[in-house]
Amino acid sequence: MAPENDTTPATVAEGTAAGDTAKVGLDFIRTRITEDNASGRFGNRVHTRFPPEPNGYLHLGHAKSICLNFGVAREFGGLCNLRFDDTNPTKEETEYVDSIREDVRWLGGVWDDREFYASDYFEKLYDYAEQLIKMGKAYVDDLSAEEIREYRGTLTEPGRESPWRNRSVDENLDLFRRMRAGEFGDGQKVLRAKIDMTSPNVVMRDPTLYRIRHAEHHRTGNKWCIYPMYDYTHCLSDSIEGITHSLCTLEFINNRELYDWVLETLGAYRPQQIEFARLNVTYTVLSKRKLIQLVKEGHVTGWDDPRMPTLSGMRRRGIPPEALREFCSRIGLARADSTVEYSMLEFCVREYLNEHTPRVMAVLDPVKVVIENYPVGQVEEVDMPYHPEDASYGSRKVPFSRELYIERDDFRLEPPKKFHRLAPGAEVRLRYAYFITCREAVLDDAGNVVELRCVYDPESKGGQSPDGRKVKGTIHWVSAAHAIPAEVRLYDQLFAVENPNAAPEGKTFLDNLNPESLTKVEALLEPALATFKAGDKMQFERLGYYCKDKDSTDAKPVFNRTTTLRDTWAKLEKKGA
């Protein structure tokens, strides 16, 4: 263990991008670290850790902690560990461990050889527990979990001591060793700290340190049948690893007294625990229990469903890690809980993608256009830049022919005032191609537009006016003969209300699911999109930002909408959500 007066110089941080921002303000956590460095409390070391429990996939709330812990380490020239607090074998899986590694790495966390597990310390933790028993600071209790809750008291009433609280040291050691040997069944006995059953802090009323669980652990197998509780494990893991600042969310503020008690009682090195408010986001649930329910009950297609607030879901949706880091930087740190508008995340996503994605053309709701005066069989190649403001993206050749498809919404039989797109007799510019004028709309028996008959101006090549006339509308298009059919998944918010957790009596958060959170359309894309790989991001001109999905095949590519070009939540409100 590293003592508090350790003079080991701080190590230059890895080139992790987690928490990387143009300018980081000196919030209360960074202020405290600066003060500790000035006083020499930890020998000018800064060593943090990101300690997820491998009982589910990481979500948006974890992104804040990842950016904070890895970011603080980077800023102060320190280190950050990745530690799995794997103390509950009934809920933890290797799948979750693998996903957590991938998510942290994707968000920019770099931990080199500092990947640790609470299960690495099981033997040490057991020895510490025996030490507490020998000190008269822990005892084996026969009360059931329900009885322990009953004896604990309330916020206004003190707790009562267990009938087994005053067992001798020798009896407690014997029973605890027999617990380890597997002589007792689940729930028959626990090891509790002996602190104060009248403490105003309920956490300090003889908290449980060990419980019996006859379950196979994902790393230790069946070696153990007793497992340490999180609060006991967490502080000792921090101590063993020489952590300087243990950054936790606000719900652990009452647990800090126990954190300090365990370490001080054992005479162990003590880090400084600092609490910050957890992340709450509108239209989103960040309860791991509720996310597991969404997955297991089939309300979503899996942990990486692009509607999920999991990091894997956001990655699949096309949200770049740079935008997520910027979002975490903008929301900052606070000591009180608050809720952040989801539109802020959308803004950060658009801001990044606007500068870092190519533009391509796709038609999601096609209507056919026949250019009657364009030569039959002729095909031109129109040179189009991938980005209008960044020549480094290069360009591509887009085929243009007599028959095209445009968005159905870009035509009106009876256009409203200031409608600057296509209508009978109206002229528009086809992006980088020609001016066209609609002469006739062909309707089916139900009155739906099935085809538009148009003429083009051959002198307007490149979309340039040959005589100085002004054309206000510019629309995108694809060549009918060259278009690639694709499935496009239009994702909206998973929940239709701002606070999904606030359900009326008799209802649950599931009743707040948005029935229109996913719409699949058969779209037509320009040929260049066939060269994009799964995970590639792009802007469909005039429609929004998209990402090629892992479900794509050569025969049928699939694209996910990341976000629209403007805020979408006003639309939900107009629908009465």
Side-chain angles (χ1 to χ4, degrees):
M1 300 179 196
E4 289 200 7
N5 63 354
D6 185 2
T7 56
T8 305
T11 304
V12 177
E14 310 90 348
T16 173
D20 192 18
T21 55
K23 187 180 292 185
V24 178
L26 203 61
D27 52 64
F28 68 94
I29 287 179
R30 291 172 171 86
T31 298
R32 177 59 186 268
I33 293 174
T34 300
E35 292 171 350
D36 286 343
N37 282 348
S39 70
R41 177 178 177 186
F42 297 107
N44 293 317
R45 292 185 309 113
V46 174
H47 199 153
T48 60
R49 80 289 169 271
F50 175 61
E53 297 175 71
N55 58 0
Y57 281 56
L58 299 184
H59 54 62
L60 188 54
H62 293 108
K64 180 177 179 179
S65 182
I66 293 169
C67 290
L68 173 62
N69 280 286
F70 283 94
V72 160
R74 177 187 56 79
E75 293 158 31
F76 286 90
L79 300 170
C80 183
N81 297 352
L82 174 63
R83 183 208 307 145
F84 295 93
D85 275 325
D86 53 344
T87 59
N88 189 347
T90 63
K91 294 184 178 181
E92 297 159 355
E93 299 178 16
T94 301
E95 174 192 351
Y96 297 143
V97 172
D98 294 340
S99 73
I100 289 169
R101 278 201 208 97
E102 184 179 4
D103 288 343
V104 175
R105 192 174 288 116
W106 171 73
L107 201 52
V110 179
W111 58 93
D112 292 334
D113 59 347
R114 295 181 310 282
E115 178 175 310
F116 301 113
Y117 297 79
S119 54
D120 292 337
Y121 312 133
F122 278 176
E123 198 66 52
K124 288 183 180 179
L125 298 176
Y126 177 85
D127 290 342
Y128 279 132
E130 284 209 355
Q131 185 177 334
L132 288 173
I133 293 172
K134 292 173 183 177
M135 296 169 66
K137 297 294 186 179
Y139 63 97
V140 173
D141 194 2
D142 292 1
L143 293 179
S144 68
E146 185 178 342
E147 289 170 329
I148 289 175
R149 283 192 294 270
E150 181 185 339
Y151 272 63
R152 185 167 288 131
T154 67
L155 293 175
T156 57
E157 296 180 358
R160 292 177 291 147
E161 292 186 357
S162 166
W164 316 104
R165 194 175 194 264
N166 295 313
R167 278 173 161 152
S168 68
V169 168
D170 288 342
E171 185 179 4
N172 282 317
L173 277 176
D174 175 65
L175 289 171
F176 189 51
R177 290 166 181 170
R178 288 164 63 191
M179 285 170 61
R180 175 175 180 171
E183 288 190 30
F184 307 109
D186 291 4
Q188 279 190 272
K189 297 184 187 298
V190 295
L191 181 71
R192 296 176 67 181
K194 185 186 288 189
I195 307 179
D196 182 3
M197 290 302 294
T198 65
S199 171
N201 184 354
V202 178
V203 172
M204 299 299 287
R205 296 179 186 175
D206 290 10
T208 300
L209 304 181
Y210 270 85
R211 77 285 207 200
I212 301 171
R213 287 278 171 86
H214 290 274
E216 185 172 345
H217 189 278
H218 70 102
R219 294 187 75 239
T220 61
N222 293 307
K223 180 178 178 180
W224 294 88
C225 62
I226 56 170
Y227 291 92
M229 301 297 289
Y230 178 85
D231 283 339
Y232 172 73
T233 306
H234 186 77
C235 59
L236 285 168
S237 298
D238 283 349
S239 179
I240 291 167
E241 293 173 17
I243 300 303
T244 58
H245 298 87
S246 181
L247 309 180
C248 306
T249 47
L250 205 59
E251 61 264 35
F252 291 99
I253 191 167
N254 290 331
N255 302 60
R256 191 204 310 166
E257 188 177 356
L258 176 58
Y259 184 103
D260 292 341
W261 181 89
V262 170
L263 298 180
E264 289 172 358
T265 301
L266 289 168
Y269 160 78
R270 181 170 65 85
Q272 178 61 55
Q273 178 174 309
I274 309 175
E275 304 85 16
F276 61 93
R278 63 181 299 171
L279 178 60
N280 300 297
V281 184
T282 57
Y283 297 99
T284 306
V285 297
L286 296 179
S287 158
K288 195 177 290 186
R289 176 182 59 80
K290 291 178 179 178
L291 296 179
I292 289 173
Q293 187 177 352
L294 287 170
V295 172
K296 291 192 173 180
E297 293 182 5
H299 301 288
V300 293
T301 58
W303 285 100
D304 67 346
D305 187 307
R307 293 167 293 180
M308 288 279 277
T310 54
L311 299 189
S312 58
M314 290 189 284
R315 181 165 63 249
R316 185 175 176 185
R317 185 162 178 161
I319 291 177
E322 297 87 350
L324 195 48
R325 292 199 297 268
E326 176 64 20
F327 170 70
C328 292
S329 174
R330 291 193 182 211
I331 62 177
L333 293 171
R335 286 191 173 97
D337 283 333
S338 61
T339 301
V340 179
E341 295 288 337
Y342 190 88
S343 58
M344 182 184 290
L345 174 58
E346 281 200 319
F347 175 82
C348 294
V349 171
R350 290 192 200 97
E351 187 176 53
Y352 181 85
L353 293 178
N354 180 55
E355 295 185 11
H356 297 90
T357 54
R359 272 64 163 163
V360 291
M361 295 194 297
V363 176
L364 305 189
D365 187 10
V367 63
K368 194 172 189 179
V369 171
V370 177
I371 305 176
E372 295 181 313
N373 62 332
Y374 193 87
V376 176
Q378 178 172 306
V379 177
E380 292 183 61
E381 287 190 329
V382 179
D383 189 61
M384 293 190 185
Y386 272 120
H387 198 291
E389 299 174 1
D390 190 343
S392 68
Y393 279 86
S395 63
R396 79 281 190 195
K397 302 291 185 181
V398 181
F400 181 90
S401 62
R402 188 172 188 267
E403 295 186 354
L404 311 171
Y405 284 104
I406 66 169
E407 289 290 345
R408 186 172 298 276
D409 195 47
D410 282 336
F411 175 81
R412 290 287 190 277
L413 267 175
E414 298 178 3
K417 190 177 181 180
K418 295 185 179 180
F419 183 79
H420 299 306
R421 287 168 279 171
L422 202 58
E427 186 177 44
V428 298
R429 177 187 291 104
L430 294 177
R431 186 79 159 145
Y432 294 112
Y434 292 100
F435 293 175
I436 63 169
T437 302
C438 180
R439 297 180 65 238
E440 178 188 1
V442 180
L443 310 180
D444 62 15
D445 293 340
N448 300 311
V449 177
V450 294
E451 187 175 286
L452 301 174
R453 296 280 174 171
C454 303
V455 293
Y456 86 116
D457 180 354
E459 301 302 317
S460 62
K461 188 170 185 178
Q464 303 299 315
S465 176
D467 52 14
R469 70 181 185 273
K470 294 183 179 180
V471 175
K472 291 186 177 180
T474 299
I475 63 176
H476 62 280
W477 51 274
V478 294
S479 170
H482 305 87
I484 300 172
E487 179 182 298
V488 173
R489 299 170 180 173
L490 305 177
Y491 290 103
D492 224 327
Q493 194 64 301
L494 183 58
F495 292 94
V497 298
E498 189 170 284
N499 182 5
N501 296 304
E505 187 176 351
K507 303 286 186 179
T508 72
F509 78 104
L510 296 174
D511 293 292
N512 292 324
L513 285 167
N514 176 15
E516 299 180 14
S517 62
L518 171 59
T519 303
K520 296 180 181 181
V521 299
E522 295 297 316
L524 296 170
L525 318 179
E526 66 164 270
L529 278 161
T531 65
F532 285 64
K533 302 184 296 296
D536 284 349
K537 304 167 184 62
M538 71 291 299
Q539 183 193 113
F540 286 176
E541 291 211 34
R542 303 175 62 234
L543 298 176
Y545 295 99
Y546 291 76
C547 174
K548 193 167 187 180
D549 190 74
K550 66 178 185 178
D551 286 348
S552 296
T553 64
D554 291 339
K556 189 66 170 291
V558 177
F559 291 82
N560 300 325
R561 182 170 67 188
T562 305
T563 185
T564 58
L565 295 177
R566 290 176 294 277
D567 189 18
T568 59
W569 309 130
K571 177 179 64 178
L572 282 173
E573 292 171 1
K574 287 178 182 177
K575 291 178 181 176

